[in-house]
Amino acid sequence: MTVISPRHGLILAAAAVLAAGCGLGAELDREIDPGRTGAQASAEPPGGPGATPEAEPPSAGTSRGCPATGVRVTTGMVNAAMGLRAMPVTLTNCGAGEQRVNGYPDVRVRDVDREPMDVTVLKGPGPITQLDDPGAHPVTLKPGESARSVFVWRYSAVDAATRRGSGVYVEIGPAAGAQRQTVEPEGGLDIGETGLLGTTAWQKVTG
């Protein structure tokens, strides 16, 4: 079994979020070295605004095929440093036509029993951490193109045996009112029974 040291894990975390076009790398450095003495320093939706979208069946972080909506949601590895968590979320146009998003993901977190958790989902990363957020802006995705958001939260106690306090199932939609897709991030979201979840606005993946 390969053991990844905390320092190596930190480097991987920074690299992963920098690849997403965000500035979390500096914040992760601040978490590990607060004094900066060592390491150098991220149109109306279907059903109308009041609609409650149904979520598609869960997938283990990634899903095969293309949903009827023409977009596929996947989650990346949860990166951690001194209690700060960050997880990239990718929205891919897997259909035949253009897809447009403008703003932040629509998110609902459920526990191991699929019951909704008392989690406040924020538009923006504050007050959880300092992280570059492009803010709401129009993003057009041609077939095969992707947009990305970064979810951030602080660790809260989770019962390892029962998984109580863990966001095992996360329902994610492109926008409020759009159909959500259910994903099961590896390891879950150790956000506790109550907590805050910050999100950055969708930003087109380039390169």
Side-chain angles (χ1 to χ4, degrees), residues 46 82 136 150 203:
M82 300 290 286
V150 177
Q203 185 171 20

Side-chain angles (χ1 to χ4, degrees), residues 19 31 48 52 101 125 153 193 202:
E31 290 288 323
T52 301
V101 291
W153 68 96
E193 292 295 344
W202 293 117

Side-chain angles (χ1 to χ4, degrees), residues 109-117:
V109 182
R110 293 182 180 272
D111 63 17
V112 66
D113 297 320
R114 299 185 182 272
E115 293 296 324
M117 294 180 65

Side-chain angles (χ1 to χ4, degrees), residues 31-122:
E31 290 288 323
I32 198 73
D33 185 17
R36 310 292 291 221
T37 57
Q40 297 181 350
S42 178
E44 184 179 278
T52 301
E54 296 295 330
E56 293 192 349
S59 59
T62 60
S63 60
R64 297 179 180 178
C66 186
T69 56
V71 293
R72 181 173 61 248
V73 175
T74 58
T75 57
M77 181 179 66
V78 176
N79 299 305
M82 300 290 286
L84 176 64
R85 306 294 196 249
M87 179 180 73
V89 177
T90 303
L91 179 75
T92 301
N93 180 358
C94 56
E98 288 187 344
Q99 296 280 351
R100 295 177 176 85
V101 291
N102 186 350
Y104 295 80
D106 181 49
V107 185
R108 180 163 55 187
V109 182
R110 293 182 180 272
D111 63 17
V112 66
D113 297 320
R114 299 185 182 272
E115 293 296 324
M117 294 180 65
D118 186 10
V119 173
T120 300
V121 180
L122 306 171

